[in-house]
Amino acid sequence: MTNPVSIPPPAIQHWLIRLRDDLAQRKRDHLWRELSPVDGPAGTEVHIGGKTYLQFCTNNYLGLASDPEVIDAARTALERWGVGSAASRLVAGSMRSHHDLETDLAEFKHAEAALVFSSGYAANMAVLTTLAASQDILLSDKLNHASLVDAAHASGAECRTFPHRNYQRLTSLLDHYTSGNVNVNRSAHHGGAVNPVSDALPSHRQFWIVTDTVFSMDGDLTDMAALARVARQYEALLMSDEAHATGVLGPDGRGVAALYDVDNDVAVSVGTLSKALGTVGGFVTGPRPVIEVLLNRSRQFIYTTALPAACTAASRAALRISRREPWRRQRVLMLAQHVRQELSSLGYQTGASESPIIPVILGSARQALEASACLREHNIFIPAIRPPAVPPNTARLRISLMATHTDSQIDHLLSTMKILANQLIPFS
Ligand SMILES: *Cc1c(COP(=O)(O)O)cnc(C)c1O
């Protein structure tokens, strides 16, 4: 038996000292993070530490995470297929429910085929690490989600960013590469990224334009029509991440590419089931060969256990409801417009949001923490969003709305934000 109070070897002790130093520095910088256990479902109210707060910070835009019909679908599937799927999709974990969900998703997105992943994060990693080759050039919006940033780097391709929604600069970057004075064989220039799978794909130097369609910390939209034009002009492949748009924006909640009527210009589209649809999992839609390559090659698909069938069945139900009940997305967008208007008349900076995500940009991490604490005192739960989740000096409250918020809940939010406005002077 090991003695439970035995002293670890020096290497471990020294390492722990370094970790504690790092944590202490984070605290001094107001960047310390900790978890708050939530007791109950993700609704318009949240129960934390024995208290009930109004909640304005989830991605459960349509209120489906605890919808009785979705819960029922999960319960039925649980009884039919059990809890765990017990294997990866390609071994024995591909339950009928996964296939049905993929059929539904392809039809929903007007795509040839769909493939479900354990998370949106995994789906983004899969797309770029499997489909982009090391000689390719990925051009990404500077504010893309961390999963796209990680995926771009992990792909081994050359990664460049353009300033947020600045398609002029994107065009200049493309001009730079196509002007003829850039070495065509760039694979030697970015040293050592190991990507045996994509290296095995036929070599052709491909441009990719990679973008969120709704930016997760700002709620603003990509001009997909502009990107589609650029992609056509430079023969680039357009990859879109519709995580926050799925179920909320565009005809039938199909996303921002559909909103701009450029579905056909998107080479590969990622969505997530974990935001407006209220469940869990990511998905990719696109032409059949894209989906088949992912199924055959993507490590994020192959080397992980399939989602439980209760999750995929719940996702099917959530997708069905989101399409059957357009009032949900209409209401959440209407509420967002109202809240944005009221907040800007209180003097808040809410950026260029056009979605249920409304940033209230405060500046320093400390200001954001104080604002969040003040809201808590008024029974409103909105955590501070600080760097590195957002750029330095743009720490903020990220307000997100749900279709199921009542008018009086919205009124309480706005009256509290008015009190906060008086306490927070001066802004910026
Ligand atoms: C949340 C999010 C993801 C990751 O999706 P998960 O299903 O939560 O892993 C990917 N992209 C964007 C833009 C997101 O906001």
Side-chain angles (χ1 to χ4, degrees):
M1 277 295 285
T2 333
N3 180 347
V5 294
S6 69
I7 295 169
I12 295 181
Q13 288 181 48
H14 293 144
W15 177 55
L16 292 178
I17 288 169
R18 291 197 301 277
L19 294 182
R20 285 194 195 98
D21 284 350
D22 175 63
L23 293 171
Q25 185 61 45
R26 292 191 77 82
K27 274 196 178 159
R28 284 193 293 277
D29 294 342
H30 305 285
L31 295 177
W32 174 256
R33 287 158 160 82
E34 62 189 345
L35 299 169
S36 312
V38 169
D39 298 302
T44 58
E45 293 187 336
V46 61
H47 310 285
I48 297 174
K51 291 181 81 177
T52 301
Y53 300 90
L54 269 181
Q55 173 153 264
F56 292 96
C57 57
T58 73
N59 301 315
N60 184 20
Y61 309 119
L62 303 181
L64 293 173
S66 53
D67 184 274
E69 190 177 329
V70 177
I71 294 173
D72 225 44
R75 188 182 293 119
T76 305
L78 206 52
E79 278 157 14
R80 179 156 169 209
W81 282 290
V83 179
S85 59
S88 65
R89 288 287 300 279
L90 286 166
V91 176
S94 201
M95 311 284 185
R96 173 69 56 198
S97 174
H98 297 83
H99 295 257
D100 290 342
L101 176 59
E102 284 162 350
T103 304
D104 291 356
L105 287 168
E107 188 260 326
F108 166 58
K109 291 285 289 182
H110 297 192
E112 246 175 49
L115 195 64
V116 169
F117 291 79
S118 313
S119 67
Y121 190 105
N124 277 336
M125 289 296 284
V127 166
L128 290 181
T129 62
T130 310
L131 300 171
S134 61
Q135 72 274 16
D136 290 357
I137 295 161
L138 305 189
L139 303 156
S140 302
D141 188 290
K142 183 84 181 149
L143 293 190
N144 275 355
H145 189 258
S147 57
L148 281 176
V149 175
D150 294 356
H153 288 118
S155 74
E158 180 166 339
C159 301
R160 301 293 298 266
T161 58
F162 52 91
H164 182 47
R165 299 199 303 170
N166 188 334
Y167 308 126
Q168 196 61 47
R169 292 286 293 281
L170 168 63
T171 308
S172 321
L173 269 170
L174 284 158
D175 282 337
H176 162 75
Y177 281 110
T178 49
S179 64
N181 50 24
V182 179
N183 185 357
V184 173
N185 181 9
R186 307 197 60 86
S187 51
H189 294 272
H190 43 77
V194 180
N195 191 352
V197 177
S198 63
D199 281 348
L201 282 170
S203 70
H204 165 80
R205 183 165 165 261
Q206 179 68 57
F207 290 125
W208 292 77
I209 299 171
V210 181
T211 190
D212 282 18
T213 62
V214 174
F215 289 85
S216 52
M217 294 300 144
D218 294 85
D220 54 346
L221 312 190
T222 296
D223 181 345
M224 287 298 283
L227 279 191
R229 275 194 302 275
V230 176
R232 272 179 191 250
Q233 187 183 344
Y234 293 89
E235 297 186 14
L237 296 175
L238 182 53
M239 176 205 176
S240 65
D241 176 349
E242 300 260 24
H244 292 280
T246 304
V248 178
L249 289 162
D252 205 25
R254 206 157 81 237
V256 177
L259 182 67
Y260 282 91
D261 199 20
V262 293
D263 272 331
N264 276 336
D265 288 86
V266 177
V268 52
S269 176
V270 169
T272 176
L273 303 159
S274 60
K275 306 259 155 91
L277 297 175
T279 61
V280 68
F283 62 91
V284 180
T285 50
R288 192 168 303 281
V290 171
I291 299 306
E292 287 180 352
V293 167
L294 289 172
L295 188 153
N296 276 274
R297 288 177 177 272
S298 141
R299 302 171 71 83
Q300 295 78 4
F301 181 79
I302 298 171
Y303 298 107
T304 197
T305 301
L307 281 173
C311 297
T312 46
S315 297
R316 290 190 78 201
L319 182 61
R320 188 170 66 232
I321 298 168
S322 77
R323 302 178 72 184
R324 188 182 71 208
E325 300 184 9
W327 70 265
R328 291 177 187 267
R329 62 180 159 274
Q330 287 157 8
R331 177 167 169 84
V332 75
L333 292 173
M334 185 270 287
L335 290 179
Q337 187 177 4
H338 172 62
V339 169
R340 274 193 305 268
Q341 259 163 19
E342 296 296 311
L343 290 179
S344 46
S345 71
L346 290 172
Y348 287 108
Q349 288 183 38
T350 59
S353 164
E354 292 184 61
S355 71
I357 301 165
I358 305 171
V360 173
I361 298 164
L362 297 173
S364 73
R366 182 180 185 155
Q367 274 172 308
L369 284 173
E370 284 172 2
S372 173
C374 168
L375 293 176
R376 264 220 206 198
E377 279 164 27
H378 290 85
N379 300 315
I380 292 180
F381 187 65
I382 308 178
I385 307 283
R386 293 163 283 164
V390 292
N393 301 315
T394 68
R396 66 195 65 188
L397 299 172
R398 174 188 183 270
I399 296 176
S400 58
L401 301 176
M402 296 168 59
T404 46
H405 276 126
T406 64
D407 291 350
S408 70
Q409 288 173 329
I410 299 288
D411 290 345
H412 182 61
L413 170 69
L414 291 171
S415 60
T416 311
M417 290 301 287
K418 187 168 183 181
I419 295 168
L420 179 67
N422 295 326
Q423 291 185 6
L424 275 178
I425 297 169
F427 285 111
S428 90

